Amino acid sequence: MHRILSKTKGDRWIWLIVIMLCVISMLAVYSSTGTLAYKRGVGTESILIKHFFMMVGGVALMYIAHKLDYRYYAGISKMLMVVTIPLLFYTLAFGSHVNDASRWIAIPGTGLTFQTSDLAKLALITYLARTLSRKQENIKDVKQSFIPIMGSVCVVFILIALANLSTALMLFGVSILLLIIGRISVKQIAVVCLAGAVLLAGVIFLGPRRATYMSRVNTFLHPEKVDKDKSFQSDHAKIAIATGGVAGKGPGNSTERNFLPHPYSDFIYATIVEEYGLIGGLFIIVIYLFLLYRCIKIVTKAPKAFGALLAAGLSFSLTIQAFANMAVAVGLGPVTGVPLPLVSMGGTSILFTSVAFGIILSVSRHIDENEALKGAGGKEGAKKVVVGEILEVA
């Protein structure tokens, strides 16, 4: 165990958060997949084993991502954007249709599906962090800085929003936060927001899923005026939370898991609260808030703009997604298909969330190494710090 821990670097609290979320995920998924196992004609243990190996794969990717110097992600971001935009177009045109939405690409010969919006989130955040950090000297220049930034944000937003509006809105919000941190002027940010509002109106009123979006918003705002079939998911999520009480029904004793359509992904928080009560629900909230706190500390300590923007963007994305999932479960927002990061059962969501954690830990590792070198003093330590600073500028 000591040998394993000695090879992991970065913020130890974030590693602990990851371990806790993985344990919670295993317990919640095992408890909530009984109906899914019955429909597939398999045992619950087989689904749990598959989920376990997906978690192991995610942790392995996290380890690899945290060992790679975070400054190399600046170059990778350009390649990711070049790959992501065509993939989003391909998904809209030829992707697998589930619930009237084309969000997935089937991976030939594996039986697995790949959700391109997960890649798009990582690509856009890393690209914005790179662009904002490298354009600081002429950040007010419209042609050199603003147009490339606005174009990337709006293109990715519209391509995701046509099939997955909730994810697109969260990513757009994270992008605006990065623009604020990156010293983009208020006028330019207002222009981006206006462009986003126009695109959002077009998606809601003219997009291929306009009927679904309008129905979900109407169900959320006026649940008493719609058919019970339309409010079925939110109603049973509220029942699960209400019957959980303070201490919950106990692990494996959820009853609403048999009625909720996706108790292991979209509504896994409702299942957790039903089984572990208000205490369990608050514990999950505290974990994600503590994650945000640790990431903010990394942002404030990062010596260069790229590391700070990268850690800020990824941490905002993870926490906003987490609270969006929990808000839907408790009835504070319309029903969406947003998973709870590193807790909900899923494939690409777990893998890309793990990579995001790994990149944040890479930034933290770089900070720790710099502090250790500066603390050691001496000519050799000073030389290493200077080399690191030169690489950062390059």
Side-chain angles (χ1 to χ4, degrees), residues 2 25 45 52 85 136 181 221 239 320 346 362:
H2 178 73
S25 177
E45 291 77 11
F52 172 76
I85 292 177
Q136 283 298 302
I181 297 172
L221 295 176
I239 293 171
I320 288 173
S362 177

Side-chain angles (χ1 to χ4, degrees), residues 72-86:
Y72 290 111
Y73 291 108
I76 295 173
S77 67
K78 295 186 293 183
M79 181 179 65
L80 286 177
M81 285 298 290
V82 170
V83 172
T84 295
I85 292 177

